[in-house]
Amino acid sequence: MTQAPAAVRGAAIHCDAVVHLYPNAGGDVVALRGVDLDVEGGTAIALLGPSGSGKSTLLALLAGLLRPSSGHVLVGSHDLTRCSNRQLLELRGNEISLMVQEPMRNLLGFATAVQNIEFAQRGVRRRRRQPLPFGPEQLLERLGMAEVAHDTVAQLSGGEQQRVAIAAAAAVAPSLLLLDEPTSELDRISRDRVLELVLTVHRELGTTLVVVTHDPAVASAMPRSVSIRDGRIGAEGRSGEEYAVVGRDGSVQLPSDVLGWIPAGTLLRVHRHSAGVDLRSPELESDGD
C-alpha cells in the first residue's frame, strides 16, 4: 500500500467538561455529563458502551454535527464549540471523515461501490491537489468485495453496504476518522477484515481513529478503549488491561465488573501508601479483623 502524503497528520482530541442535553418537553435528556477525554494525534481508540450510553452523541460532537451544551471540544487546533457552520463544513470536507450508523445514510444508492468511493475522494483530491494513497478497487479488494465493486450499492446486502461506507470514509485519508458501529451488521470474518483495514489506515497514514462500538471484541482489537456509562467516561483499557480513571474533578470511574462488588453509593476509606492509594470498604475491613 502506498505511503501517505506528508501532509496527512492525525488530529489530537481534547474534550473538557463536555455536557450535552437534548431538549424534551418533559425535561431535558442528559446525554453526556462532564466528559473529559484526551486522545493523542495519530492514535486509535474505541468508545465502548451499551445503546443510550452517550457514545454516539460524543462522536457527533467530534464531527461538529452537534455543539455541546457546555464545555469545549477541540480537534487538532480547532475549537469546534467556536467554529462557524461554514468552518465545520470545511473541516468535514478536508480533515474529518465520519461514517454514521445505517450504511445507506453514507452512500449514493444509485451508484456503484467504486463510484461511491470515487465520489468521496473527488472533492478532497481537488482541494488537496495531491494524490490520495488508496484507490477504490484496492480498498474494496482488501474488504473481500472485488466481485461486487461495479454493482450498485442499493442491490448489495446490508453487510456489503456497511463495508462500502467504511471504505468511502477511509478513502479520503482524513486526519480524524470517526466510525459509528462499523461492524454491527457484519459476520466475524467481515468484521476482522474491516478492523484490519481501518487499523492499516491508522498505522500507515497516522490518522487518528475513533470507533464507537458495543462489541467488546472490537474494542479489544484497538490499542486503547474507553467505556462510556450513563453519559460519563468510565474505565479504560490499554493493551488488554483495564484501568480505573480519575477525572479532572477528582471523580473515579471504576470498571463495570467492579460495580458488582462495590455498588453506587458505597462508602470507601482511602488508604494512602508508598505504592499509591487503595479504596477499601469499612465493612470488609471489619470482617477481616
Side-chain angles (χ1 to χ4, degrees):
M1 185 173 288
T2 308
Q3 283 297 107
V8 176
R9 293 289 184 273
I13 295 169
H14 175 73
C15 297
D16 184 18
V18 172
V19 174
H20 190 74
L21 308 175
Y22 288 107
N24 187 283
D28 292 344
V29 176
V30 183
L32 297 174
R33 310 167 185 265
V35 168
D36 296 323
L37 179 65
D38 288 295
V39 180
E40 293 182 5
T43 59
I45 181 173
L47 301 178
L48 174 66
S51 177
S53 61
K55 57 189 189 299
S56 292
T57 296
L58 181 54
L59 204 72
L61 290 170
L62 295 176
L65 295 176
L66 296 175
R67 296 180 187 268
S69 303
S70 65
H72 290 276
V73 178
L74 281 75
V75 173
S77 60
H78 307 283
D79 186 343
L80 302 191
T81 55
R82 296 180 179 177
C83 287
S84 66
N85 289 336
R86 181 181 180 85
Q87 288 171 321
L88 291 173
L89 281 172
E90 289 176 353
L91 279 173
R92 288 194 294 272
N94 290 306
E95 299 182 37
I96 300 173
S97 186
L98 169 68
M99 190 210 79
V100 299
Q101 290 191 59
E102 300 176 20
M104 287 306 295
R105 292 173 60 195
N106 304 275
L107 300 171
L108 301 172
F110 59 84
T112 67
V114 165
Q115 288 170 339
N116 267 276
I117 298 172
E118 289 175 339
F119 181 80
Q121 290 183 324
R122 188 175 298 124
V124 174
R125 186 183 292 110
R126 184 172 60 250
R127 287 187 293 270
R128 293 183 187 170
R129 297 183 180 179
Q130 59 187 353
L132 289 167
F134 305 109
E137 295 195 15
Q138 178 188 25
L139 284 171
L140 292 169
E141 183 176 359
R142 293 180 75 99
L143 289 171
M145 298 186 62
E147 292 183 359
V148 297
H150 298 282
D151 293 351
T152 57
V153 296
Q155 298 174 324
L156 302 181
S157 69
E160 289 169 335
Q161 292 170 354
Q162 187 93 322
R163 283 183 279 169
V164 175
I166 292 164
V172 300
S175 298
L176 174 60
L177 178 57
L178 306 170
L179 302 176
D180 196 354
E181 297 286 2
T183 62
S184 59
E185 297 190 31
L186 305 180
D187 58 32
R188 184 183 59 80
I189 293 174
S190 297
R191 179 199 70 191
D192 291 346
R193 279 178 170 161
V194 162
L195 290 174
E196 180 183 358
L197 175 66
V198 297
L199 286 170
T200 296
V201 171
H202 152 68
R203 286 190 300 266
E204 295 193 4
L205 300 189
T207 292
T208 303
L209 173 64
V210 180
V211 175
V212 158
T213 183
H214 66 276
D215 186 349
V218 173
S220 66
M222 309 295 285
R224 178 185 176 193
S225 63
V226 172
S227 64
I228 298 185
R229 188 173 59 238
D230 299 325
R232 297 181 185 274
I233 294 294
E236 284 211 20
R238 302 285 184 101
S239 301
E241 188 168 357
E242 199 167 17
Y243 298 86
V245 178
V246 180
R248 294 193 182 104
D249 60 356
S251 63
V252 178
Q253 300 294 328
L254 300 172
S256 56
D257 62 320
V258 174
L259 295 177
W261 294 83
I262 308 174
T266 301
L267 296 177
L268 299 173
R269 286 200 179 107
V270 179
H271 289 261
R272 301 168 181 83
H273 51 82
S274 59
V277 174
D278 291 336
L279 301 178
R280 302 178 186 175
S281 167
E283 294 182 3
L284 294 177
E285 285 187 320
S286 298
D287 291 342
D289 288 342

